[in-house]
Amino acid sequence: MQKLLMTPGPTTIPEAVKLEMAKDIIHHRTEEYSEIFKELSENLKCVFKTKNPVITLTSSGTGAMEASVTNLFSKGEKVIVISVGNFGNRFIQLTKLHGLDVKEISYKWGESAKPEDLKKVLSEEEDVKGVFLTHHETSSGVLNDVSAFGKILEGTEILFVVDSISGILSNEFKTDEWRVDCAISGSQKGFMTPPGLAFVSLSNRAQEAMKKSDMPNFYFSFAKHLDRLAEGQNPTTPAITLIFAANVACQLIKKEGIDNVLKRHKKLQILTALGIEALGLEFFVKNSEDRGSTLTSVIAPKGIDGQEVNKLMQEEGVTIAGGQADYKGKIFRIGHLGDVNELDVIVTFSVLEKVLYKLNYREFEIGASLKAIQEYLIKNI
Ligand SMILES: Cc1ncc(COP(=O)(O)O)c(C=O)c1O
């Protein structure tokens, strides 16, 4: 049975990317490798909307999150970590683990971060060296207004570190314009490539901070990666196959056009929301403006275990994601990022209706979600 992956990562891999990975491996200390790695590095700058270098680590996203702490800061330095869920909490754990003096600004899951709260903490705290923020919080589907936080940091030397692991390419992200010093992403989400690569942009301010950091780094040393970047090389053996795959994925993204990629994701978000409303289900993120185009999180109907919805959907060939931490079983998350299109959303709702019906949630007319989606599609041809 053909399987449909509607999760917020890993995402479906396009045919051209899969075929690239089927090719013979080549040696990385060669011109051939360097040319492709240079092309990927330039493509990443384009996706990140930055003129600064973007390095590629052979690691999942968390490796880059940890490396941003150990490369850009020194023990005891004061930082503010803004958390709206599981992945913001990961930054809290990492900054504390590495001995930073951490001021937390945390929100209830499902709510977005408020720029005025950062302003307040900055007015109370002296000598803050960094601010950490999650662009799109995958555990809840909340999208933070990175630009508004960046504006607050204008005119300061405070480093702005942003996790856009699941945000970039399904939501607008402008590294330089939004004053982001270190933006982090991963291969397995909007980049439509298997897990295993992390991408990190580094502003001049971030590169200066690197020189002052007193924390040890070897494999994850940003300096070592930057040193080899211009010649199209990496300090150690890179995940060559994934790098080539990510480059093909970037070519596809450029061919579609980044703006069109963003528009497609917005449309998929709208279709998903229409389907959810038509089924009488409740969104986990109450304020529609706080929802991103990466995924839609839905509260499991009363008496129904969200994990059961996932399990039955998976049996029907559509994989969605469950809730995390305290929300396990209470919500389910429909991913709509990467190589996903309108038909995939339609299939997802067809299966979701069937599964809900099976679980005795029947407060909708059969086909209601499909009708709502179809009406939108026909009215917006
Ligand atoms: C927003 C966000 N941050 C961090 C991570 C962690 O990335 P990884 O699992 O690639 O280490 C994820 C992964 O789901 C994520 O969505």
Side-chain angles (χ1 to χ4, degrees):
M1 180 171 47
Q2 179 108 31
K3 294 227 158 84
L4 183 56
L5 207 50
M6 298 295 280
T7 69
T11 58
T12 302
I13 314 295
E15 195 68 16
V17 177
K18 282 194 274 199
L19 288 173
E20 181 64 29
M21 290 189 292
K23 288 185 183 165
D24 283 339
I25 193 79
I26 65 158
H27 190 61
H28 55 295
R29 305 297 183 201
T30 57
E31 270 297 304
E32 191 184 353
Y33 171 80
S34 292
E35 265 180 35
I36 298 171
F37 184 52
K38 276 187 203 166
E39 188 183 323
L40 170 67
S41 304
E42 283 308 306
N43 282 337
L44 290 173
K45 283 165 72 169
C46 192
V47 172
F48 276 65
K49 301 196 172 152
T50 181
K51 58 175 179 16
N52 295 311
V54 180
I55 58 171
T56 296
L57 309 175
T58 295
S59 141
S60 84
T62 307
M65 289 170 76
E66 182 160 14
S68 72
V69 176
T70 57
N71 278 270
L72 305 180
F73 299 94
S74 293
K75 276 200 191 319
E77 281 185 344
K78 193 187 287 179
V79 295
I80 298 171
V81 183
I82 303 164
S83 173
V84 298
N86 207 23
F87 294 107
N89 289 349
R90 189 165 295 180
F91 261 148
I92 295 177
Q93 286 176 302
L94 290 168
T95 47
K96 285 189 174 168
L97 177 73
H98 291 288
L100 301 190
D101 175 7
V102 183
K103 306 292 162 202
E104 298 172 29
I105 308 180
S106 292
Y107 298 85
K108 216 174 124 211
W109 286 33
E111 284 176 14
S112 66
K114 310 282 169 291
E116 57 272 22
D117 293 339
L118 175 63
K119 251 190 207 163
K120 184 166 177 287
V121 176
L122 283 173
S123 70
E124 293 163 354
E125 298 287 344
E126 278 177 11
D127 211 19
V128 172
K129 297 290 187 209
V131 169
F132 291 78
L133 178 69
T134 317
H135 177 212
H136 172 267
E137 176 54 69
T138 320
S139 58
S140 62
V142 159
L143 187 71
N144 283 318
D145 185 353
V146 176
S147 152
F149 286 90
K151 274 200 190 99
I152 294 171
L153 300 178
E154 245 10 300
T156 73
E157 281 307 305
I158 298 171
L159 289 178
F160 191 22
V161 180
V162 178
D163 163 0
S164 189
I165 290 173
S166 69
I168 210 162
L169 282 165
S170 41
N171 306 276
E172 183 82 82
F173 193 81
K174 298 180 175 176
T175 304
D176 291 354
E177 203 179 308
W178 294 353
R179 199 211 164 277
V180 178
D181 293 299
C182 175
I184 299 165
S185 197
S187 52
Q188 79 272 29
K189 298 184 189 271
F191 284 96
M192 310 182 295
T193 302
L197 296 179
F199 311 121
V200 184
S201 77
L202 294 162
S203 71
N204 288 338
R205 193 183 290 111
Q207 292 178 47
E208 285 309 308
M210 263 165 44
K211 293 176 195 156
K212 293 187 217 133
S213 167
D214 66 2
M215 295 209 217
N217 290 287
F218 187 90
Y219 183 74
F220 284 121
S221 161
F222 287 173
K224 284 186 197 285
H225 281 270
L226 278 176
D227 277 351
R228 304 301 304 269
L229 191 66
E231 47 172 325
Q233 281 293 325
N234 316 74
T236 56
T237 311
I240 303 166
T241 308
L242 290 180
I243 283 173
F244 290 1
N247 192 43
V248 170
C250 283
Q251 287 167 357
L252 294 176
I253 289 161
K254 279 173 77 176
K255 194 166 166 213
E256 184 176 354
I258 294 175
D259 284 348
N260 291 331
V261 170
L262 295 175
K263 273 189 210 147
R264 175 166 53 82
H265 283 88
K266 188 77 213 167
K267 191 170 182 187
L268 299 180
Q269 182 197 347
I270 293 170
L271 297 180
T272 306
L274 287 170
I276 293 302
E277 279 164 357
L279 295 179
L281 296 171
E282 206 182 319
F283 294 101
F284 180 58
V285 180
K286 297 286 171 275
N287 183 353
S288 61
E289 288 185 3
D290 288 345
R291 293 176 207 144
S293 299
T294 306
L295 67 89
T296 299
S297 52
V298 183
I299 298 179
K302 225 172 170 201
I304 291 181
D305 181 355
Q307 293 296 105
E308 200 55 25
V309 177
N310 292 3
K311 189 173 151 260
L312 294 184
M313 292 214 38
Q314 201 168 349
E315 281 171 17
E316 297 275 345
V318 179
T319 309
I320 58 167
Q324 297 182 321
D326 289 349
Y327 294 94
K328 196 167 179 189
K330 299 200 172 108
I331 64 172
F332 55 88
R333 296 172 298 148
I334 302 172
H336 32 72
L337 81 154
D339 187 27
V340 180
N341 59 42
E342 295 163 8
L343 292 182
D344 298 327
V345 175
I346 291 172
V347 170
T348 302
F349 274 94
S350 166
V351 173
L352 181 60
E353 283 200 5
K354 211 163 137 191
V355 164
L356 290 172
Y357 215 76
K358 213 168 174 179
L359 291 169
N360 277 322
Y361 175 80
R362 297 178 178 184
E363 288 166 34
F364 59 91
E365 277 200 23
I366 294 173
S369 62
L370 303 170
K371 182 169 182 280
I373 291 168
Q374 185 74 347
E375 269 173 9
Y376 181 91
L377 289 175
I378 288 186
K379 283 181 190 156
N380 291 279
I381 285 173

